[in-house]
């Protein structure tokens, strides 16, 4: 095994956070779908796929360095939300928690002089900046366009293609 036991545990914890994020976004997507917010449902289902991808990146990394990736049990996410805006607030808060966890991991690599994991984590630092910016930009729309039914309808419709544009950007930097 080319990384420490502590680092293996910390990355397995991160696998669990990413899996929880994926699950939470599926739950939000499902709420959006049954509430009639089709654009947001599509956004959140794609977001869930992104999180699943993050989880797999960590899993492949652990297995690749000769450690064992543990597939976590996941807590049940919330199943209903107050409003469309609150789903994005929930998402932003989750992303901020994940960002902090990534920074904690980076700090650990510095203490352990684990250059391999340090280098592996750089992609996630950029990714988290993009994720937080994305959620903040969407939340700004609620302030700019207002919160009446027509404004929310327009925001929802505008979200149908947001994720695919972001994914194009990510593909370009891979
Ligand atoms: Fe994988 Fe959006 O944190």
């Amino acid at each position: 095994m080319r990384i420490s036991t502590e680092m293996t545990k910390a990355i397995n914890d991160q696998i669990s956070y990413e899996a929880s994020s994926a699950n939470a976004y599926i739950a939000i997507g499902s709420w959006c779908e049954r509430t009639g917010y089709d654009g947001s449902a599509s956004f959140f289902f794609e977001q869930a796929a992104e999180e699943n991808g993050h989880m797999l990146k960590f899993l492949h990394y652990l297995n690749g360095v000769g450690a064992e990736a543990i597939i976590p049990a996941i807590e049940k996410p919330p199943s209903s939300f107050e409003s469309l805006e609150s789903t994005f607030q929930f998402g932003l808060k989750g992303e901020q928690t994940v960002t902090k966890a990534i920074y904690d991991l980076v700090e650990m690599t510095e203490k352990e002089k684990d250059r391999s994991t340090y280098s592996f984590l750089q992609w996630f630092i950029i990714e988290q900046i993009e994720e937080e910016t994305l959620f903040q930009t969407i939340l700004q729309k609620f302030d700019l366009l207002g919160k009446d039914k027509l404004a929310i309808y327009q925001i929802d419709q505008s979200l149908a293609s947001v994720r695919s544009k972001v994914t194009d950007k990510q593909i370009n930097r891979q």
Side-chain angles (χ1 to χ4, degrees), residues 19-169:
S20 296
S21 297
N23 227 27
Y25 286 136
I26 290 172
I28 298 174
S30 177
W31 178 82
C32 289
E33 189 172 77
R34 69 175 189 272
T35 312
Y37 296 130
D38 293 343
S40 305
S42 144
F43 171 89
F44 281 111
F45 288 136
E46 285 181 42
Q47 189 70 22
E50 288 278 320
E51 299 303 345
N52 198 51
H54 297 170
M55 179 186 68
L56 288 174
K57 268 183 191 279
F58 282 109
L59 176 151
H60 294 318
Y61 179 73
L62 277 188
N63 290 337
V65 294
E68 183 187 352
I70 311 280
I71 311 307
I74 306 169
E75 275 185 35
K76 184 176 175 297
S79 55
S80 68
F81 298 85
E82 250 174 52
S83 62
L84 187 62
E85 186 181 12
S86 76
T87 65
F88 289 96
Q89 284 160 344
F90 183 93
L92 177 60
K93 210 165 151 221
E95 293 301 336
Q96 287 166 337
T97 304
V98 169
T99 301
K100 186 182 175 313
I102 300 274
Y103 287 162
D104 287 348
L105 276 178
V106 171
E107 209 175 301
M108 200 171 159
T109 64
E110 287 165 343
K111 278 191 192 133
E112 292 193 8
K113 297 192 180 0
D114 176 348
R115 291 182 175 77
S116 157
T117 308
Y118 176 87
S119 165
F120 166 73
L121 289 171
Q122 300 310 300
W123 184 91
F124 285 94
I125 292 177
I126 306 293
E127 175 71 3
Q128 282 312 117
I129 292 169
E130 287 181 3
E131 300 271 276
E132 284 193 29
T133 303
L134 175 63
F135 276 89
Q136 276 159 349
T137 306
I138 294 168
L139 280 166
Q140 273 174 350
K141 286 178 193 262
F142 289 91
D143 290 333
L144 291 170
L145 295 174
K147 294 168 192 182
D148 60 40
K149 284 185 180 174
L150 182 60
I152 290 176
Y153 175 78
Q154 285 171 336
I155 292 169
D156 178 60
Q157 291 300 295
S158 74
L159 290 170
S161 58
V162 164
R163 200 61 252 186
S164 53
K165 281 183 204 147
V166 173
T167 306
D168 287 349
K169 204 168 73 190

